[in-house]
Amino acid sequence: MKFFVIKKRHLCFVLCAILVLVGLGVYFGLTAQAYQPNLSPTVVIDAGHGGTDGGAVGRKTGITESEINLQYAQTLKEVLQNLGINVVMTRTDLNGLYSPFASNKKKDDMEKRKRIIEESGADLVVSVHMNAFPLSSSRGAQVFYGLNNQRGEALAASVQTRLQDVSAYAREGVKEGDFYILNCTSLPGILVEFGFLSNAEEEALLVSEDYRKQMCDAVALGILNFYEM
């Protein structure tokens, strides 16, 4: 595909990934022993919300989206680092990134996330979120990409496919999204809604450590597949 431009320093990374995935059949439960490139890409992981912005709230457990987003972001970080991929986090605790003196905390928070992305030297961005909807039957993981971002769309499709491999309720196809965290950069970026906290059955899965690891492994594999393109 002509619009995929991979830097020379990533060629070893891509070739190693292909050999490991084919030779060892590693799709999930990825480990450091399975993949250790000398030169690797950098991924920004953005745990959505934080501080006074708690986001959605779990229907049964009452867990806030900001809290569970951080859990998923940290797990994804571990998975990617075990693969030898460099990771930069926008948020590492439950606090927001805004200044306590900011008149518009949401704007200040998002501008700081943008600055982290710009200064990271990253190759792509993954923003972690949970969904909610008044209709409690709504469920399923969904991946979004930035406006008119073809590489972002390809990354989203790769990750969505892998999420469908591990979750029977993962949505079909990907969606273009007008999200600041994706549109503030020209990098390929995705926003992953891992599921609906407003659906009691899916919430029970989302708060499970095993399910979290499974879903984060799927995202990591989707990222590896994107670099193979």
Side-chain angles (χ1 to χ4, degrees), residues 148-224:
N148 302 312
N149 192 318
Q150 290 182 305
R151 291 188 299 156
E153 182 178 6
L155 174 60
S158 181
V159 170
Q160 187 74 46
T161 296
R162 294 309 173 185
L163 289 173
Q164 288 176 303
D165 289 341
V166 299
S167 173
Y169 294 97
R171 301 295 179 96
E172 291 286 341
V174 297
K175 291 185 177 182
E176 190 176 47
D178 190 9
F179 299 104
Y180 179 86
I181 197 68
L182 300 181
N183 297 322
C184 71
T185 175
S186 61
L187 293 174
I190 56 174
L191 186 148
V192 184
E193 298 273 11
F194 279 93
F196 285 73
L197 290 176
S198 52
N199 180 291
E201 185 178 353
E202 189 158 58
E203 177 192 7
L205 288 173
L206 290 169
V207 298
S208 161
E209 183 177 352
D210 288 343
Y211 188 76
R212 181 173 76 241
K213 180 62 163 59
Q214 190 177 38
M215 295 292 274
C216 289
D217 280 350
V219 172
L221 182 58
I223 291 172
L224 290 182

Side-chain angles (χ1 to χ4, degrees), residues 6-25:
I6 300 178
K7 300 174 184 178
K8 289 183 179 179
R9 68 186 180 89
H10 296 162
L11 290 178
C12 290
F13 169 80
V14 175
L15 292 174
C16 288
I18 294 172
L19 290 173
V20 169
L21 291 174
V22 174
L24 300 179

Side-chain angles (χ1 to χ4, degrees), residues 17-214:
I18 294 172
L19 290 173
V20 169
L21 291 174
V22 174
L24 300 179
V26 177
Y27 285 93
F28 302 102
L30 305 171
T31 65
Q33 290 72 28
Y35 183 64
Q36 290 180 326
N38 294 322
L39 294 173
S40 64
T42 296
V43 175
V44 169
I45 300 178
D46 171 61
H49 302 279
T52 58
D53 180 12
V57 178
R59 186 179 182 86
K60 289 289 187 179
T61 66
I63 191 169
T64 63
E65 183 186 355
S66 62
E67 180 180 353
I68 194 170
N69 286 351
L70 184 61
Q71 293 173 1
Y72 273 69
Q74 290 172 331
T75 297
L76 181 58
K77 173 187 176 182
E78 292 170 3
V79 173
L80 292 178
Q81 286 184 329
N82 284 340
L83 292 170
I85 297 174
N86 301 316
V87 174
V88 174
M89 301 279 281
T90 60
R91 179 165 71 88
T92 58
D93 56 34
L94 293 175
N95 297 313
L97 276 65
Y98 52 80
S99 165
F101 307 106
S103 58
N104 187 329
K105 289 183 171 55
K106 183 65 175 179
K107 180 180 179 181
D108 190 51
D109 181 272
M110 297 308 295
E111 287 177 346
K112 284 186 170 63
R113 293 172 197 256
K114 176 184 177 181
R115 190 180 310 153
I116 290 170
I117 294 170
E118 291 175 338
E119 296 175 354
S120 67
D123 303 275
L124 58 88
V125 178
V126 179
S127 189
V128 175
H129 286 261
M130 301 292 152
N131 221 330
F133 194 70
L135 188 64
S136 62
S137 60
S138 295
R139 64 182 300 174
Q142 177 72 68
V143 184
F144 295 84
Y145 61 93
L147 300 177
N148 302 312
N149 192 318
Q150 290 182 305
R151 291 188 299 156
E153 182 178 6
L155 174 60
S158 181
V159 170
Q160 187 74 46
T161 296
R162 294 309 173 185
L163 289 173
Q164 288 176 303
D165 289 341
V166 299
S167 173
Y169 294 97
R171 301 295 179 96
E172 291 286 341
V174 297
K175 291 185 177 182
E176 190 176 47
D178 190 9
F179 299 104
Y180 179 86
I181 197 68
L182 300 181
N183 297 322
C184 71
T185 175
S186 61
L187 293 174
I190 56 174
L191 186 148
V192 184
E193 298 273 11
F194 279 93
F196 285 73
L197 290 176
S198 52
N199 180 291
E201 185 178 353
E202 189 158 58
E203 177 192 7
L205 288 173
L206 290 169
V207 298
S208 161
E209 183 177 352
D210 288 343
Y211 188 76
R212 181 173 76 241
K213 180 62 163 59
Q214 190 177 38

